[in-house]
Amino acid sequence: MITLDIISDPICPWCYIGKTHLDTATQRAGFDPFDVSWRPFQLNPDMPREGMNRKTYLEGKFGKERAVQFYKQIEDTAVEAGLDVRFDLIERTPNTFDAHRLIRWSRSTGQQSILVHSLFLRYFVNGEDISDRDLLLDAAAAIGMDRDVVADLFEKNADREVLQNEEAAAREIGVNGVPTFIVANKHVVTGAQPPELWGTVLEELSEQAAQQTAEA
């Protein structure tokens, strides 16, 4: 397996689209060589713990007209990728720090990508507030994590500093936007690249594996 670190934020629509494009490429190729780990990056690290009214947030960040145009482009791209997104259902822009902590804890279950996908669905399709700890506990329980253990970890602020350091390390190596894909700790793919690009990556990886086998 080839390591693939995906630096993302579960409220980033391009992250949802980017992972969908990667999945499409692996399905087309008929194989998936990646051992995926999801890494934290907060688009809004200064977001209040309780989040913010989405309309207020978008107009403050982009301006009213630009926000409409920006998210229309995202919606069109999502539809092309086969996704159903419902931005109209999202009432609040959440703080994602707890979601990132849960994603980190889920690594040990082997269900990390399933959890991340469920958070994408909850936010972009159902319009749910993924900063809500009860919602996060439900998501954890759905992949087999012990709800009481996770609740205790939240209450004790477990791994808070670890997560902050991991995100700081990503910024220090030049990550300033998501999604960022790091293949085998050396090749970087940024943004929601189309399935065709990932198809080329997969073809190259397949050729390298075949050559290494022949040389062995």
Side-chain angles (χ1 to χ4, degrees):
M1 298 292 284
I2 299 168
T3 61
L4 175 61
D5 293 296
I6 305 178
I7 303 173
S8 80
D9 194 338
I11 63 164
C12 166
W14 294 114
C15 295
Y16 186 24
I17 294 168
K19 182 56 166 63
T20 300
H21 284 167
L22 172 59
D23 290 341
T24 297
T26 57
Q27 290 166 8
R28 289 176 180 174
F31 75 105
D32 183 352
F34 297 121
D35 178 16
V36 175
S37 291
W38 292 83
R39 306 295 183 181
F41 189 97
Q42 293 182 94
L43 290 174
N44 307 296
D46 298 322
M47 179 66 66
R49 170 69 184 83
E50 67 277 9
M52 181 184 296
N53 175 274
R54 178 173 171 79
K55 183 178 179 182
T56 301
Y57 163 74
L58 291 178
E59 291 183 2
K61 185 170 184 177
F62 301 106
K64 186 175 181 179
E65 291 186 7
R66 185 162 174 258
V68 171
Q69 295 172 353
F70 183 68
Y71 275 86
K72 179 63 168 63
Q73 177 192 1
I74 295 173
E75 187 172 3
D76 290 345
T77 305
V79 170
E80 289 176 6
L83 299 175
D84 176 25
V85 293
R86 292 293 307 273
F87 294 126
D88 58 307
L89 297 180
I90 302 173
E91 297 181 357
R92 298 189 66 76
T93 298
N95 179 304
T96 57
F97 194 78
D98 279 349
H100 281 298
R101 286 202 289 160
L102 178 60
I103 291 168
R104 177 180 178 80
W105 300 331
S106 72
R107 288 179 193 169
S108 62
T109 69
Q111 305 294 311
Q112 192 182 40
S113 288
I114 293 175
L115 172 68
V116 172
H117 184 68
S118 77
L119 295 178
F120 283 146
L121 291 178
R122 287 174 180 273
Y123 185 65
F124 291 112
V125 179
N126 301 337
E128 297 179 72
D129 181 357
I130 61 171
S131 69
D132 181 84
R133 285 189 178 176
D134 285 336
L135 180 150
L136 293 174
L137 292 173
D138 288 344
I143 63 166
M145 299 178 74
D146 188 301
R147 186 186 180 97
D148 292 336
V149 170
V150 176
D152 188 55
L153 289 171
F154 277 137
E155 288 300 320
K156 291 179 177 178
N157 279 327
D159 287 340
R160 188 174 188 86
E161 186 174 347
V162 172
L163 199 74
Q164 289 170 335
N165 291 340
E166 187 173 353
E167 182 173 358
R171 295 181 188 274
E172 286 173 5
I173 64 172
V175 176
N176 54 23
V178 287
T180 295
F181 303 83
I182 303 176
V183 183
N185 294 316
K186 55 184 178 181
H187 304 296
V188 178
V189 178
T190 59
Q193 297 296 335
E196 291 74 20
L197 181 141
W198 281 111
T200 300
V201 171
L202 289 166
E203 184 177 347
E204 291 175 355
L205 291 173
S206 178
E207 291 174 355
Q208 290 173 12
Q211 182 176 355
Q212 290 170 359
T213 300
E215 294 173 351

